[in-house]
Amino acid sequence: MDGVTKTMRQGEAGATGGTSGYLAIDLAALARNYERLAAEVAPARAAAVVKADAYGLGAARVAERLHAHGCRHFFVAQFVEALRLRPLLAADATVFVLNGLQPGNELACAREGIVPVINSLEQWRQWADAARSLARRLPAVLQFDTGMSRLGVPPEERAALAELVSGDSGVDVLFVMSHLACADDADSAQNGEQSAEMARVSAQFPQFPVCFANSGGIFLGKAYHGVLARPGIALYGGAPTAGRANPMEPVVKLDVAVVQTRTVPAGTRVGYGGSHVATGPTRLATIAAGYADGLPRSLLDRGAVYCDGVRLPIVGRVSMDSITIDVSALPEGRLKLGSLVEVLGPHQTLEDVARDAGTIAYEILTGLGHRYERQYR
């Protein structure tokens, strides 16, 4: 029995394993999402952004499955992530560090065969020094700021970098890249502005291929793809473009167990601060997840969970380890100790929860903690 089916059956009968919740991760859907994105950018190639433990879903399992489906380029944010991931991948895979290197990591990076993304003249000089000290050539990626003002060599330093690159530095540049700030908004004028700026970068560094599109950028068209695209949230089922139908398959399903049920009279205060007051006799259930499990406090009196397709609103403040829901719409006795309710699944997407919490799907996905029992299909 695969993990997703097992979770569905547990949802019918209750949390038979004694856990507080089940986070089902559909690796087959993940692979299909990768293949969908790879087909969209062809003849360019698709990488995979697996930073933050593959957006919280487990970088080891995710990268292994994506490698089996043809992915050979993996991006993390921090060097420590690369150190953990590199030994788990075959020799034909490349691991890139988006934040580049902190001083002192250069020799370990070279030794482990990890590729830094160079974001500044200082990082370039550190990597070139490492190449000279080792008396061998080292690979790198050059990132340029095209309008996000976050990471990358700024426009005023491009000429100085071009001069350094043209010399015998010992660094082999694999490609130049930048990051789109508004790719999830297909109508944003900033997309075109950054594309034009990236074209100027490419003209100044014509010897290197371009890596440009993130998840949203993939669906902006081929002008944004370059030779390598870097999807992240779309791999994991998140919508790449706001306000449009999501072309990706859901990858996660989250069911959480009931801890206690009760019926309270009108006027009863619920939760910390007594912020919710029952307007009439109300049946309540408390479930075993809270903001420590990635369900934000901002869901109070806005968010919901589901059971049998019925929306069950969150009432009162979200606690660290628990949430109270109004179950009056269900038949009495439907929920009891150990029963499961749907937090993410066919009735509620990542985007739905993010909307109710006033945040983004990225934050919900990466915040799902490790107290749930994880089941990989």
Side-chain angles (χ1 to χ4, degrees):
M1 184 186 302
D2 67 60
V4 173
T5 303
K6 182 180 178 183
T7 300
M8 291 173 65
R9 295 188 184 178
Q10 286 166 329
E12 296 165 2
T16 56
T19 185
S20 62
Y22 299 90
L23 181 64
I25 301 164
D26 189 341
L27 294 175
L30 171 86
R32 290 191 294 271
N33 283 342
Y34 176 76
E35 290 169 351
R36 165 78 174 85
L37 295 163
E40 187 72 26
V41 301
R45 300 194 67 180
V49 179
V50 294
K51 62 183 180 178
D53 198 28
Y55 287 48
L57 300 187
R61 296 294 297 269
V62 165
E64 177 186 33
R65 177 54 63 93
L66 293 178
H67 185 274
H69 285 261
C71 185
R72 295 294 182 268
H73 301 83
F74 298 88
F75 285 83
V76 296
Q78 300 178 4
F79 181 59
V80 65
E81 297 176 295
L83 283 178
R84 293 168 183 158
L85 183 61
R86 177 62 272 180
L88 305 179
L89 291 171
D92 64 347
T94 304
V95 179
F96 303 89
V97 182
L98 290 165
N99 285 0
L101 300 176
Q102 292 291 328
N105 287 337
E106 298 87 358
L107 297 184
C109 184
R111 181 180 64 248
E112 299 299 327
I114 295 164
V115 179
V117 175
I118 303 299
N119 294 289
S120 65
L121 295 177
E122 184 178 18
Q123 285 187 344
W124 170 272
R125 293 187 180 103
Q126 289 171 343
W127 195 230
D129 287 345
R132 282 190 289 271
S133 70
L134 294 170
R136 65 184 178 94
R137 304 192 68 80
L138 297 176
V141 174
L142 300 182
Q143 178 159 214
F144 294 88
D145 176 20
T146 58
M148 192 175 181
S149 303
R150 186 182 66 172
L151 284 174
V153 177
E156 62 271 19
E157 294 182 0
R158 285 181 202 160
L161 181 60
E163 186 173 346
L164 292 173
V165 168
S166 65
D168 186 14
S169 62
V171 176
D172 291 329
V173 177
L174 304 184
F175 48 81
V176 295
M177 63 172 278
S178 189
H179 192 68
L180 289 158
C182 303
D184 59 334
D185 179 2
D187 298 322
S188 173
Q190 189 169 344
N191 293 324
E193 294 167 2
Q194 285 194 256
S195 180
E197 189 67 13
M198 193 66 208
R200 286 188 278 273
V201 170
S202 186
Q204 196 165 2
F205 297 84
Q207 66 273 46
F208 307 128
V210 171
C211 173
F212 195 27
N214 52 12
S215 289
I218 287 173
F219 294 93
L220 292 176
K222 291 195 177 296
Y224 291 82
H225 294 169
V227 300
L228 183 69
R230 308 184 309 275
I233 190 68
L235 288 171
Y236 310 108
T241 308
R244 296 187 180 180
N246 187 356
M248 316 314 299
E249 291 187 43
V251 172
V252 297
K253 185 178 188 294
L254 175 60
D255 296 298
V256 174
V258 170
V259 177
Q260 191 174 35
T261 61
R262 72 185 68 217
T263 300
V264 299
T268 300
R269 298 184 182 277
V270 180
Y272 280 117
S275 61
H276 180 87
V277 180
T279 58
T282 306
R283 282 186 288 114
L284 302 174
T286 300
I287 63 173
Y291 58 76
D293 306 289
L295 304 178
R297 293 180 77 245
S298 52
L299 287 169
L300 79 163
D301 295 327
R302 297 173 60 186
V305 300
Y306 281 80
C307 179
D308 299 337
V310 178
R311 186 178 188 274
L312 307 174
I314 292 171
V315 291
R317 293 180 185 173
V318 173
S319 302
M320 181 183 292
D321 314 297
S322 61
I323 295 172
T324 304
I325 56 176
D326 184 340
V327 300
S328 302
L330 291 176
E332 191 167 357
R334 170 62 183 87
L335 293 180
K336 57 186 179 181
L337 175 65
S339 296
L340 293 173
V341 296
E342 173 194 321
V343 178
L344 294 169
H347 300 97
Q348 184 157 258
T349 66
L350 282 167
E351 285 72 29
D352 292 332
V353 176
R355 178 202 62 225
D356 291 343
T359 184
I360 56 176
Y362 298 74
E363 188 172 11
I364 299 300
L365 186 60
T366 58
L368 298 177
H370 287 269
R371 296 199 289 188
Y372 308 118
E373 181 178 317
R374 292 179 173 229
Q375 299 173 325
Y376 289 91
R377 173 179 173 184

